[in-house]
Amino acid sequence: MANLEHLKLLQQGAVGWIKWRNRHHTIEPDLSEANLEGANLRGANLKHVNLKGAQLESANLITANLTKANLSLAYLSLACMIDANLIEASLVSAHLMQAELSYADLSHANLIGADLRGAKLMNVNLSHANLIGTDFREANLKGAMLNEANLRRSNLSDASLIHAHLNRANLTDANLHEAELIGAYLYQADLERANLSQAHLGGAYLFGANLGAADLEGTDLRWANITGANLQAANLKGARLEGAHLNKANLTGAVLDDFTLEGASLQGTILPDGTIHR
């Protein structure tokens, strides 16, 4: 439960809160389970604050400093967190449905099991974030930075990841069904067993990516750079590969239609039967 003194200080306004925090900079305020629904916390210093289980629906947290804050199990649906600082924050199993997080910095944050359905995450920084099992269904991640993020078993179906940066990200067993990844950067990303069926990856950069046993049925990969990628045992039935660069890719055991590779660049590619295309 929240420390009532800390809660009262916050509710009295920004000026008093800032003065108190400056005088007591070693204290980590406890606002756990506090009811701050709709509160105006714009630019607030909430660094290291315990907000576990707090009610923050529709709260204004624009430019707020939530560095290393504990927001696990917090309710942040429809909260506005544009340009907020959430570096190394804990958002385990947090409720962020339709929250506005554009331009927020969530690098190294922990969002295991968080619910971000329909959230707005344009140009957000989630590099190195722990996103195992996170629900991003229908979220807008256009231009997001997700380099080296752990997205294992995450649900990104119908999400927009246009021009997103997912270099060396872990997307094993992730669900990207019908996701928009046009022009996305997936250099050396691990997409083993990922569901990319009906996804749109036109012009995407998949150089050296691991797509072993991935489901790419009906996926649009036109003009994508898949050079040196691993596609062993991948399902490419009905995939569109016109203009795609598959040079030196490994397609051993891949499942595809007779016409799937038509129009693709295949120099040095290991074909499904194990032969090398010359």
Side-chain angles (χ1 to χ4, degrees), residues 28-54:
E28 297 184 1
D30 186 357
L31 298 169
S32 56
E33 300 181 30
N35 186 355
L36 294 162
E37 185 175 350
N40 185 1
L41 299 167
R42 185 181 183 123
N45 179 5
L46 296 164
K47 186 176 181 179
H48 293 283
V49 173
N50 181 6
L51 286 154
K52 183 177 181 179

Side-chain angles (χ1 to χ4, degrees), residues 89-145:
S90 176
L91 290 134
V92 176
S93 299
H95 305 268
L96 290 143
M97 291 81 76
Q98 298 182 59
E100 171 63 89
L101 286 145
S102 297
Y103 298 96
D105 192 344
L106 287 134
S107 53
H108 297 277
N110 187 351
L111 290 107
I112 291 177
D115 191 343
L116 285 141
R117 283 175 293 169
K120 296 177 182 177
L121 295 142
M122 289 83 78
N123 299 296
V124 71
N125 185 3
L126 283 158
S127 298
H128 302 278
N130 192 342
L131 302 159
I132 296 173
T134 301
D135 194 342
F136 285 104
R137 277 177 288 173
E138 299 181 10
N140 188 343
L141 288 143
K142 185 176 181 180
M145 300 297 293

Side-chain angles (χ1 to χ4, degrees), residues 180-191:
E180 295 280 349
L181 289 142
I182 297 166
Y185 299 89
L186 290 140
Y187 172 73
Q188 291 186 351
D190 192 347
L191 290 143

Side-chain angles (χ1 to χ4, degrees), residues 148 193 224:
E148 299 187 48
R193 297 182 303 277

Side-chain angles (χ1 to χ4, degrees), residues 226-231 246-251 267-271:
I226 317 170
T227 303
N230 175 32
L231 288 146
L246 278 157
N247 304 321
K248 298 182 180 179
N250 189 346
L251 287 158
Q267 186 174 359
T269 303
I270 303 174
L271 300 174

